[in-house]
Amino acid sequence: MSLPASSAPLLPDFPAALPASMDFAALLAEGVALTQAMSSDQWSDYNEHDPGLTMLEQLCYALTDLGLRGHYPVADLLADARGKIARDTLFTGNRILTTAPVTPEDVRKWLYDRVHGLKNVWLSPSEHTPGVVDVRVEKFKWGKDAQLVADVGRELRAVRPLGQDWGRITVLTPRALPLQGELTLSAGADADAVMGALLFALNLGLSPGPTPRAMDAELAAQLPPEARYNGPELGCGWIDDPSPANPVCRIALQDVVRIAQAVAGVASVRALRFVGGGDHFTLGIDEAPLVDLPADGQPWPFSVTSAAGGRLTLNRQRVEQYFLKRRAEAQAQETAVTLSTDEQAYRQLPDGRVLNVADYVSVQHQFPQAYGLGRYGLAEAFAWPEDAQLRPLNRQARVRQLRAYLLLFEQVLSNAFAQLAHARELFSLSDPGQSYFYQSLISKPPQPWDAPDTAAVLMPPPDNADPHWRYIVCVNLAGALILRSPRLPNHARAEDWLAEVRAACAAQGWRAHSEAEGWRLALYDARGRLLASGVATLASEAAAQALCNRLAAGPLESHVQRQGAQGLRVLDREQRVLLSACWAIDASARAERADALLFFGRHAHHYRQRRWPDGGWGLALCDANGEVLAVCPRRWPDSQAACRAAHELAHWLREIGCSCQPDAGWLQWLPEADPPVDSGDAAAHYLDALRRQTAAADPHPARRNQFLDHLLARFDERFDNALLASFDPRPAYVEGFLLELASWKTSLLASYPLWSARRGHGADYGMALAERMPFGSGLEHILFSRLGLGGWQKFVRHPRSRPPLALGRTPPSSAGPQLRFVSQDPQLLAMLLRYGGDRGRYQLGVSHCGCHHMLYFDTPDGAQLEILRGHSEAEMIDARERLLLWLRRDGPAWASVYADEGLYVLEHVLLRPQGAAATAWPADESLRLSVLLPDWPLRFCNPEFRRHVHTLACQFAPAHLALRCHWLDFAAMQAFEQRYADWADARRRACTDSSAEAMATLNACAQALRDWLAALPAA
């Protein structure tokens, strides 16, 4: 077993009090106590020399190794082969604790962090339009107005709250302050450097903006990360709440003096005044203060005097260079803060050590050598009695028997180590396909810690298959064959199987399960192993339950029946068995028998009818001499039905015979099983059996959902599994639905930090879309995953658009291209999916005038519903068969259960008039949300599901917004999507084009959408 490369101890802090899983003495004492309680009448010696106690000691020692590994640091247990930890569900603090901007202060921090050249920003509600917020920004001297407005608008649209929009973005006009004063320098100060620093300080200090600080300093102040990550995620560290809350409108001389005296090299400021008089200077509402370098020939705002009293002359070029130097120093400081923020340990997942947790060392190496279990085997120096030549062989056999006994415990231990090693996969969104893990006790290549001679112990016994015959176990009820076992290789194995079948019948181990064609019985033993399957397909669950009751009442008769080793099955298009033949011949002769079967099977008169003990009629195919070639496993209620079936079989075999490839999918040769595993492939046989047994005992879909529920509960999120399952119209599809449900949860978790931070935010209408329909609000994403819209969901990382639901498409047909239902009941498809696989629910009928033939469906409440109409009975029978085929579990109907599901969240505030056409906008209209959904998908026809949708939408929508759900038919959805797409295109173009033509197009599209919404019936 390889050891970690690091010299660090396996446990950073060894526990003072050993946990139970690491306490060898406690485990041994508990094991002895349990042994005494269960076998005190047979085992009384618990001293150290007893072999049973020796085995218990070794197993307890292995358990302490497992307990030690379970206490490894979590980072080591979650690390992969590269020492890295997957971060798809283990989110760092900066991702999961932060949110999109919510308050005005959050928005101001967000913009300062992301927009270059922005000095400050202020938000204020619009005076004319409710729900609209106007923005005023102040730029640095070097900023560009057009680029600044575009960048601010882009960032604001990305964090727009739901039910709110951004109004006019105004860049404050710089207003030069008319200052005059005298500046006295300290001894040795450079006048140009001091003036450059003073001008830079005045431009920053007179209208102060946000000041970023390194996050490390904030964490060092003993404040928890949760407090420092309360708000938007900032790349430039930490920013206090910006101040002032409104733009500066008055500048006082004392503010100028305070800033000037803080500049290094300034000794005093004298005779400071505003040109025009007064000690205050008032700015306009859209103006920002500026103290700039004077133009050539213009006076400086300060005259400069040296410490000795002499007047100094300033060099404008040098002053500007020092000004730019201070600007570069400030930008370098912000860059350093950003880099220090990115390097924080709290923003990164730790690396783990690769410790090979799954490696298992066999306990057999720990036994005393006298047991002969270790790698050295039995000692050769034993003095055997001369008259006991077979004792060494007997002793080797006993060692092998003990080794096989210990392997039962070792496999459980080895699987436990594998389970611990795969713990990291439970935290991953990539489904491993299993929740119970195993590993082989045979390493490839062999390792010194493997149990010796394991492959020889695990060698499967030879099956001694009969070359000409196979055997099956039959269970009869009142002379009729009900259950039949798989084909067994020899008579001895069949007798053993017969004993197990009789024991299972005594325990009433039969169960009914649904298939594509109906219901079928199966017989299982106490461990859940399949022993026998039903020979007939039952029409309904009630029929299956009735047969179970008859089996329980008895009497049952079971026996072994011999069949030929070689055989052939003839299948129909749905892969159902039509004819089955078994011959006691060599494999070389079966081609001749198959030709005879296909030749005689083309003629209906070669099929012989026979009456079975259960009252049904069957068919047997015979040759010219009357010898039976094949038997049909199906039963018919009367002789006429069996006669019709003979003609259908003959027609099908003629069709197969005329095919270019008659054996392509329609003929199935027997035996199907692989040949017995030889001695050289014992490891493969062992691994295959281990895999199958683990898979049979692994309720993976249910356990996968349970662990995803745990991951969701960490964020106080939950799915109502039972409620969502009740909305699924497919019966007996528990495992498949659980896998679909797991995909909804993984889709939610995959982008959880993003959508949870934006749960109260709207879509970015200025972003270019991959599809035509916008889809990006937090509410849309929450409802999409919570409701499982569209069925199976992949890892969708916050899509911004989606294809339309109805636009550019034709209305969906009711049941595929060939069927058109007469009934307009919206619950028809849901009923057919749940009950339509039962052939007994369909009834044929004729209209009163005799002109039409109808197909009726028996609804669960006992009513008969006309679903199809045609001109002949044969047409209705064919339609019924095609409908049953369409409703199969793997058919098109099941695949389209979630087809056409989707929704749109429309914010009414975005439909307000723009530009010169803006008028008074009602306040209540800005606080409205409309959720528009199609009414034709299967689940959306369910009134309970509609109520659930409305409940969820109201639960996750902001409380101050009035929400309404509208269910649209196909034509209405097409009309909406056409208007919505036109409006979205116009709204996106208006973000970069503010011309009158663009505004007119946008207003026309918004007016058309408003008029269409106003015409909708009340929700």
Side-chain angles (χ1 to χ4, degrees), residues 157-199:
R157 289 192 296 271
V159 294
R160 181 181 58 82
L162 202 64
Q164 177 182 308
D165 196 13
W166 307 110
R168 184 167 56 96
I169 301 176
T170 304
V171 179
L172 300 187
T173 303
R175 176 73 180 275
L177 298 182
L179 286 173
Q180 285 186 355
E182 183 177 339
L183 200 66
T184 303
L185 303 183
S186 303
D190 186 332
D192 295 333
V194 171
M195 181 57 68
L198 176 59
L199 293 179

Side-chain angles (χ1 to χ4, degrees), residues 5 12 137-138 156 223 250 268 291 294 307 332 372 387 398 440 452 459 552 592 614 624 697 759 819 865 965:
V137 297
E138 180 183 0
L156 285 175
L223 289 175
R250 297 182 66 191
S268 63
V291 181
D387 58 348
R398 292 178 180 178
S440 173
M459 180 73 63
E592 181 180 353
D614 59 358
R759 66 172 66 224
L819 298 176
L865 186 66
C965 291

Side-chain angles (χ1 to χ4, degrees), residues 732-807:
Y733 193 51
V734 177
E735 180 174 329
F737 171 75
L738 288 177
L739 291 176
E740 291 175 349
L741 180 61
S743 76
W744 305 344
K745 297 174 182 178
T746 53
S747 175
L748 187 74
L749 287 167
S751 56
Y752 186 81
L754 184 58
W755 77 256
S756 64
R758 292 175 45 84
R759 66 172 66 224
H761 288 71
D764 184 354
Y765 51 75
M767 179 177 291
L769 303 179
E771 301 286 352
R772 194 173 182 190
M773 310 307 295
F775 184 83
S777 68
L779 181 59
E780 285 173 313
H781 280 275
I782 292 174
L783 296 178
F784 190 84
S785 294
R786 288 279 188 153
L787 297 171
L789 300 187
W792 189 280
Q793 294 181 5
K794 299 180 180 179
F795 286 177
V796 180
R797 299 206 179 264
H798 208 75
R800 302 292 187 177
S801 62
R802 59 156 299 150
L805 298 173
L807 190 61

Side-chain angles (χ1 to χ4, degrees), residues 453-508:
D453 301 329
T454 302
V457 175
L458 296 174
M459 180 73 63
D463 56 10
N464 297 321
D466 192 319
H468 295 98
W469 298 99
R470 294 294 182 266
Y471 300 84
I472 62 172
V473 176
C474 302
V475 178
N476 295 343
L477 174 63
L481 178 62
I482 303 298
L483 298 168
R484 179 173 54 194
S485 75
R487 288 159 59 96
L488 303 169
N490 52 54
H491 189 270
R493 182 68 186 281
E495 290 293 338
D496 295 339
W497 201 276
L498 176 62
E500 296 183 21
V501 166
R502 288 174 175 171
C505 289
Q508 299 185 11

